[in-house]
Amino acid sequence: MGGNGAGYTYYVDDSGIPQDGLALYSWIGVPDEAAVAVEQQWLDFRADLQQDISVPVEYELHAHLFISGRGRPGGLNPTKHARRRAAQWALDVIADLPGVSIGCVYAWEHWPRVPRETAFTGLLRTIDQSLAEQGARGHVIIDGDGTDRMYGDRHFDLDPPHIPEEPTALPAHESHWLQMADLVAYTACHAIARRPNREFMWGWYSRHLPKAEGPIQA
């Protein structure tokens, strides 16, 4: 936890449908001074979830696997109905976290354009503008192992004044915040793509995250 001295930390994860040219990044932004207390509210939810459908607090909630019915949290296999109910409950908890900002930036482009780069650059611009309006600085933590140089390269090219350091990579299984961002990203993806096999999710982003920004097209 922490923002390297920044006023805000933004936890970022990606989603998309590469074969369709759709890429997006979602963020969960939290004031550093409030992060511990706010995260405790999420941990309280995870404890309730464990009691409700036996999903252990330490189990990584990976949205596209969990919602699709894959994986056996705690050795058990909750029904698809229980998983979907849990995901919507999680979104409601995220929406109610005090002082937290939520949003999504996407790009829908086709070869030879690279929508990931466009979407991530748009995300940096959006966050930097928000920080400028608040007179604050921020730091971005993104799901990953540090091998994808695109994030550092786009940060270097854009040089956002209110995000002075390049993004830090952190595996999602080590961060509840990144797992929250993953759920937001997956939800936003299906609000945009509107694939028939995910019709049940089309309205989740607007319904469960009413204060979220976007989805914003880069």
Side-chain angles (χ1 to χ4, degrees), residues 94-126:
I94 292 169
D96 287 341
L97 294 175
V100 166
S101 68
I102 307 161
C104 165
V105 177
Y106 74 97
W108 210 331
E109 302 171 339
H110 295 282
W111 188 91
R113 299 296 299 276
V114 183
R116 288 179 69 244
E117 296 183 3
T118 302
F120 187 70
T121 301
L123 176 123
L124 289 177
R125 286 198 179 103
T126 299

Side-chain angles (χ1 to χ4, degrees), residues 15 17 20 24 34-35 41 53 70 77 91 118 121 179:
S15 187
I17 305 175
D20 290 351
L24 61 92
Q41 295 189 33
I53 59 170
R70 286 176 278 176
N77 188 12
L91 290 168
T118 302
T121 301
Q179 292 172 45

Side-chain angles (χ1 to χ4, degrees), residues 3-4 21 35 43 49 61 95 113 117 141 148 157 183 186 205:
N4 296 326
L43 293 174
L49 186 62
L61 285 181
R113 299 296 299 276
E117 296 183 3
I141 296 178
D148 191 338
D157 291 343
L183 179 58
Y186 190 68
Y205 191 88

